[in-house]
């Protein structure tokens, strides 16, 4: 079986990290394959992306056995070839990306989940900034996203202490959108993903882009961007359909254009 399973169904690109016996730890091959799959999600056939892990974990981050191999790629290569492109591809993808965190998410595994647009976890899942425990700094965008999600103090403590956080606690802190009981996790997460895949895809993509800009913009700059992106959204077919359906008192049928 490939280390990343990929399928497009109902306009959803399903990406499953598939090294369950290693808790889906990232080998170089898996990171590169994930990049290829994220590129395939640029297709118009995909209107929402769903990332999850096979077996009991989401991902344990970097495969430490592979990194300990003296013949393996060096640190610079790992970050620049494996993780940074994954984060950029998720953020640059013009459609929503849902992280369905089915189990433990550690190190780069946690931070890949946290850069997604909507993070949903099973109640038994957990999050750990495992880096400090092996003498590393948090990578894969962790130092960018985590303080913005939960505030500088909590992020700093979690990163330095390497404390494992339950899904319940992660939701309470605002690190993730929601958790669901394990029994209903798949059903509920898929239902949210299907709903997103039937929404106005371009409008959702513009929302993603404007939200990202807000991290560095002043209010003046951000208001200007909202003006620009709202005009783009108003030119989409889905906007016309949304207004028409509202006035005709019927459910809209969006085609993602
Ligand atoms: O140079 C660089 O590394 C640069 C890149 C950095 C990016 C990073 O992601 S650094 C952070 C790497 N990840 C970690 O440090 C996490 C290591 N794993 C753990 O702390 C724990 O395994 C977990 C908290 C994730 C889960 O704990 P638990 O008790 O549920 O499972 P376990 O028993 O520790 O692990 C189960 C198996 O998975 C075990 O193998 P075995 O003994 O059954 O053959 C374990 O060795 C393996 N495993 C877990 N994590 C990794 C791993 N194998 C390779 N790499 C891993 N990251």
């Amino acid at each position: 079986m490939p280390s990343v399973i990929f399928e497009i169904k109902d306009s959803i690109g399903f990406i499953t990290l598939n090294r369950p016996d290693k808790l889906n730890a990232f080998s170089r091959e898996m990171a590169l394959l994930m990049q290829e799959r994220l590129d395939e999600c640029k297709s118009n056939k995909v209107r929402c992306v769903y990332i999850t892990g096979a077996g009991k974990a989401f991902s344990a981050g970097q495969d430490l056995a592979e990194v300990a191999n003296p013949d393996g790629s060096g640190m610079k290569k790992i970050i620049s070839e494996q993780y940074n492109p994954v984060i950029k591809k998720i953020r640059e993808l013009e459609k929503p990306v849902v992280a369905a965190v089915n189990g433990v998410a550690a190190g780069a595994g946690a931070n890949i989940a946290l850069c997604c647009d909507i993070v949903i976890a099973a109640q038994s899942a957990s999050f750990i900034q495992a880096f400090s425990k092996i003498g590393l700094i948090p990578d894969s965008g962790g130092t960018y996203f985590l303080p913005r999600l939960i505030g500088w103090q909590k992020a700093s403590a979690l990163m330095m202490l390497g404390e494992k956080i339950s899904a319940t606690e992660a939701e309470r802190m605002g690190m993730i959108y929601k958790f669901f009981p394990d029994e209903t996790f798949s059903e509920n997460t898929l239902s949210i993903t299907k709903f997103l895949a039937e929404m106005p895809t371009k409008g959702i993509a513009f929302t993603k882009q404007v939200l990202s800009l807000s991290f560095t913009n002043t209010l003046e700059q951000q208001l200007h961007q909202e003006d620009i992106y709202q005009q783009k959204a108003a030119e989409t077919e889905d906007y016309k359909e949304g207004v028409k359906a509202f006035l005709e008192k019927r459910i809209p049928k969006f085609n993602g254009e």
Side-chain angles (χ1 to χ4, degrees):
M1 288 294 274
S3 56
V4 176
I5 300 172
F6 183 63
E7 184 191 13
I8 300 177
K9 198 174 164 217
D10 298 331
S11 302
I12 300 166
F14 288 93
I15 295 178
T16 305
L17 307 174
N18 188 38
R19 301 181 77 216
D21 52 326
K22 302 274 182 199
L23 303 187
N24 303 318
F26 272 86
S27 60
R28 182 167 185 272
E29 186 221 73
M30 185 164 114
L32 298 183
L33 207 46
M34 186 173 185
Q35 291 174 33
E36 278 179 34
R37 297 323 190 194
L38 285 165
D39 282 340
E40 287 184 52
C41 290
K42 289 179 188 165
S43 152
N44 284 346
K45 288 186 209 150
V46 176
R47 293 174 63 185
C48 185
V49 178
Y50 177 97
I51 303 176
T52 197
K56 66 175 188 174
F58 179 77
S59 169
Q62 171 63 38
D63 185 325
L64 295 176
E66 190 175 276
V67 90
N69 178 351
D71 300 329
S73 45
M75 175 72 77
K76 187 164 191 303
K77 253 186 153 182
I78 289 181
I79 302 297
S80 63
E81 278 188 9
Q82 297 184 28
Y83 298 112
N84 288 355
V86 167
I87 302 301
K88 285 190 204 164
K89 283 177 193 293
I90 291 173
R91 294 312 313 153
E92 286 164 11
L93 205 54
E94 294 179 357
K95 42 205 87 180
V97 181
V98 175
V101 182
N102 53 303
V104 67
N111 291 338
I112 287 171
L114 296 180
C115 87
C116 292
D117 298 295
I118 301 184
V119 188
I120 303 172
Q123 189 161 7
S124 64
S126 53
F127 296 82
I128 172 167
Q129 294 291 319
F131 308 88
S132 63
K133 295 191 164 179
I134 54 169
L136 290 181
I137 67 132
D139 57 31
S140 304
T143 56
Y144 187 81
F145 294 104
L146 195 59
R148 285 169 167 83
L149 288 166
I150 62 173
W152 179 84
Q153 177 56 219
K154 289 268 186 204
S156 174
L158 290 186
M159 286 172 171
M160 290 184 183
L161 299 171
E163 190 187 343
K164 198 196 260 187
I165 294 294
S166 67
T168 331
E169 183 67 357
E171 184 196 284
R172 199 191 58 74
M173 282 181 182
M175 190 190 292
I176 64 170
Y177 173 53
K178 257 182 197 194
F179 74 86
F180 289 113
D182 289 10
E183 306 75 48
T184 59
F185 166 69
S186 292
E187 185 193 327
N188 284 318
T189 312
L190 276 174
S191 154
I192 291 173
T193 309
K194 280 185 183 157
F195 181 76
L196 275 169
E198 290 173 0
M199 288 191 73
T201 311
K202 288 206 155 70
I204 299 278
F206 296 150
T207 303
K208 174 172 181 166
Q209 289 162 352
V210 185
L211 260 178
S212 293
L213 293 172
S214 77
F215 283 159
T216 49
N217 273 349
T218 61
L219 174 61
E220 192 60 39
Q221 290 165 331
Q222 195 61 16
L223 289 173
H224 180 58
Q225 290 301 327
E226 287 179 4
D227 187 5
I228 292 171
Y229 277 90
Q230 194 67 295
Q231 287 181 44
K232 288 191 197 186
E235 283 163 16
T236 62
E237 283 180 27
D238 283 343
Y239 167 65
K240 292 182 187 83
E241 165 63 5
V243 174
K244 195 162 180 282
F246 178 80
L247 296 175
E248 291 170 2
K249 299 193 187 305
R250 62 172 172 83
I251 294 170
K253 174 101 183 68
F254 299 118
N255 64 13
E257 293 302 326

